[in-house]
Amino acid sequence: MTEEFYIGTYTKRISRGIYRVSVDTDAAKLTKCEWLASAGSPTYIAKSKAQRLYVVNKKETDGQTHGGLIIYDMTDTSKPRAIQQVLDLGSSPAYVSVDEGRQLVYTANYHTAAVTVYKIADDGSLTQVDQVIDQDPVGPAPEQADGPHPHYADLTPDGRLVVCDLGTDKVYLYDVSDAGQLTPVSYVDLPAGYGPRHITFDATKGVAYLVGELSSNVATLTYDADAGKFAVKQITHVIPDDWTAHNGSAAIRLSADGRFVYVSNRGNNSITVLSAADDGTLTVIQRIATEGDFPRDFNWTADESLVLVVHQNSNNASLFKRDAATGKLTLAQKDFMVPEGVSVLPA
């Protein structure tokens, strides 16, 4: 059986935009990487049920940088059709997500400190309906000195918008109206210099797992959906204590059974596997090299038996087998060419 993944990339060196990678799940082998569509550093991609891709995009015009999104219709998967570009003066977003229930798209812009909400029209095109700009004080790390840095904007299990801000060491919650208007609900403070990046939820346990890019930590947060509040329960370090070189933890994923959490580490060039207890507390059970430089993102096949990892600096992907009982990974394939890989999304 073949499964496909969309790969978001930077286009700083050799990448041409969006790629599609094929995995032979029976042979546990990456078989094809094909260029799919053009975009300027399409680092993150979101897919709607209507088979449209909402893609981070950057464009240089008359010596000025414009950032935003490009939307592709994927009804004919062999011929992506560009629907619209939504661009504003300034840097492109760091994250994009789709709200199917309200037919909205959210972006988080690391550089402009803006979280933007767009309404999806019937043809898939977007119209901006709201925007909030973070102005809270920032943390002490050098990467935080130049201001707030929203790095993630996506939905909680109960339909609120959660925003992780690497600059302010806070995670924010918003109520969202059907029209896309945001109303602040609450926020939780993380330790100074934590650098919140991405978050994933276990609704059954009532917890969320928050990766800290700057601290190389994962925080277990309790989430009270009725009150709309987070609280910090536990913080776990994901790289070796004696690691002194630079590391930036990046992607975080939770297995469908809620038993294991996975985190990629750029610098340490590894994936950390953690077991999750019934109360959501975490224990590191494995650190495994990703066989490439700067592993930005990873994702798994539909049955979670294989894990695909992409590397930004070394232009390669690796494939791992995952043991569902133990949660641990073993290398199946490395050195598969994928240019400047940043994000991995099941097609």
Side-chain angles (χ1 to χ4, degrees), residues 162-195:
V162 56
V163 176
C164 303
D165 195 307
L166 181 144
T168 64
D169 291 324
K170 290 179 171 62
V171 176
Y172 303 87
L173 283 170
Y174 295 88
D175 282 333
V176 187
S177 73
D178 288 343
Q181 300 299 309
L182 300 180
T183 303
V185 175
S186 67
Y187 65 82
V188 63
D189 284 303
L190 279 298
Y194 186 90

Side-chain angles (χ1 to χ4, degrees), residues 6-11 15-19 35-48 51-59 66-74 80-88 91-98 105-109 118 120 124-126 342-343 345:
Y6 297 122
I7 308 297
T9 72
Y10 275 109
T11 53
S15 172
R16 297 170 57 200
I18 308 163
Y19 289 77
W35 173 74
L36 186 65
S38 296
S41 287
T43 51
Y44 273 83
I45 303 169
K47 183 180 73 171
S48 72
Q51 298 303 310
R52 291 161 184 143
L53 298 183
Y54 295 87
V55 182
V56 168
N57 188 33
K58 181 174 72 173
K59 189 174 183 179
H66 292 75
L69 300 173
I70 185 169
I71 300 99
Y72 280 100
D73 188 307
M74 294 299 298
R81 179 177 63 87
I83 296 173
Q84 181 192 27
Q85 290 192 75
V86 181
L87 296 170
D88 293 308
S91 298
S92 53
Y95 192 89
V96 57
S97 61
V98 173
V105 166
Y106 308 103
T107 62
N109 195 306
Y118 301 90
I120 304 175
S125 63
L126 300 179
V342 176
S343 61
L345 177 71

Side-chain angles (χ1 to χ4, degrees), residues 128-312:
Q128 182 178 323
V129 292
D130 201 5
Q131 184 177 78
V132 294
I133 298 176
D134 194 353
Q135 298 178 338
D136 282 344
V138 298
E143 296 90 340
Q144 299 171 313
D146 55 348
H149 292 307
H151 215 310
Y152 177 100
D154 212 331
L155 296 179
T156 65
D158 58 322
R160 291 189 174 98
L161 186 70
V162 56
V163 176
C164 303
D165 195 307
L166 181 144
T168 64
D169 291 324
K170 290 179 171 62
V171 176
Y172 303 87
L173 283 170
Y174 295 88
D175 282 333
V176 187
S177 73
D178 288 343
Q181 300 299 309
L182 300 180
T183 303
V185 175
S186 67
Y187 65 82
V188 63
D189 284 303
L190 279 298
Y194 186 90
R197 180 180 171 94
H198 284 186
I199 194 168
T200 186
F201 287 81
D202 187 330
T204 301
K205 296 176 182 175
V207 300
Y209 301 107
L210 171 71
V211 64
E213 175 178 331
L214 306 182
S215 57
S216 300
N217 288 331
V218 173
T220 301
L221 308 178
T222 59
Y223 177 53
D224 184 335
D226 292 334
K229 289 184 177 180
F230 289 113
V232 179
K233 182 182 182 72
Q234 179 199 32
I235 293 178
T236 306
H237 202 51
V238 296
I239 60 171
D241 291 337
D242 60 357
W243 182 265
T244 58
H246 173 268
N247 184 72
S249 295
I252 184 167
R253 304 216 178 262
L254 173 68
S255 60
D257 60 10
R259 296 177 59 211
F260 303 102
V261 173
Y262 299 77
V263 176
S264 61
N265 301 296
R266 302 165 298 168
N268 187 250
N269 293 340
S270 64
I271 286 181
T272 302
V273 185
L274 305 100
S275 65
D278 290 344
D279 65 353
T281 55
L282 299 177
T283 303
V284 174
I285 59 172
Q286 184 187 30
R287 296 186 182 99
I288 186 168
T290 56
E291 306 295 337
D293 186 20
F294 227 63
R296 291 289 298 242
D297 195 16
F298 60 95
N299 218 318
W300 33 49
T301 51
D303 64 358
E304 300 185 354
S305 65
L306 297 171
V307 178
L308 168 60
V309 186
V310 296
H311 302 89
Q312 178 185 330

Side-chain angles (χ1 to χ4, degrees), residues 19 127 184 319 344:
Y19 289 77
T127 301
L319 190 67
V344 184

